[in-house]
Amino acid sequence: HNKKVAKQKRKLAALAGEDGARCAFWLEKKKKNCNFKPAPGSKFCGNHNPEARRVPCPVDPKHTVLEKELEKHIKVCPARLQQLQAEAREYYVQNFNAGSDDEQEGEVQPADFTKGPLAAQR
């Protein structure tokens, strides 16, 4: 009986992140602790350390990076590498489908069929 109780206590401690084997950060959506190992001398993993400051990536603000690793991240950011690959293509033109400067955001210009090759067909 004592072995069962001890095992149950260890299991509950692990679920709560108190055993030191897992990060103590609680993931509300999943209703469990983070499954990563904590950093040495910390209860939290590198992603959830409350002392480390995370900032949005300047290349792609959809993800964040540790502030101290920002310069290193910019060199290896997948979004930046994808952008560089696209720009290296011979047919790539930056902002090609961005619209003209005189168009307002969301404004749709009607097609003008009175000029050009389609005008002769009317």
Side-chain angles (χ1 to χ4, degrees):
H1 178 66
N2 284 342
K3 285 185 179 181
K4 243 184 184 180
V5 172
K7 185 177 179 181
Q8 199 171 24
K9 283 184 179 180
R10 282 195 308 271
K11 190 174 181 181
L12 288 172
L15 284 173
E18 296 168 359
D19 63 344
R22 286 201 257 176
C23 173
F25 185 80
W26 181 256
L27 301 165
E28 188 59 39
K29 282 185 177 180
K30 296 183 177 185
K31 303 286 188 216
K32 68 176 191 173
N33 284 77
C34 169
N35 212 16
F36 291 134
K37 289 184 178 183
S42 175
K43 295 189 319 185
F44 299 96
C45 68
N47 290 329
H48 298 119
N49 188 346
E51 297 164 5
R53 185 161 178 253
R54 296 189 73 82
V55 294
C57 172
V59 178
D60 181 12
K62 293 178 188 171
H63 63 271
T64 59
V65 192
L66 290 174
E67 188 175 38
K68 66 181 182 180
E69 296 177 2
L70 185 60
E71 283 186 45
K72 178 183 172 189
H73 170 78
I74 291 173
K75 295 175 186 174
V76 296
C77 178
R80 180 178 170 271
L81 297 176
Q82 187 177 18
Q83 182 182 14
L84 289 174
Q85 285 176 339
E87 290 173 359
R89 295 182 181 125
E90 63 186 60
Y91 52 83
Y92 176 82
V93 179
Q94 187 171 355
N95 297 325
F96 185 77
N97 290 326
S100 63
D101 291 337
D102 57 342
E103 287 181 20
Q104 293 183 1
E105 186 71 29
E107 180 183 329
V108 178
Q109 298 292 327
D112 185 6
F113 294 111
T114 60
K115 301 175 188 160
L118 296 177
Q121 294 176 359
R122 289 193 115 204

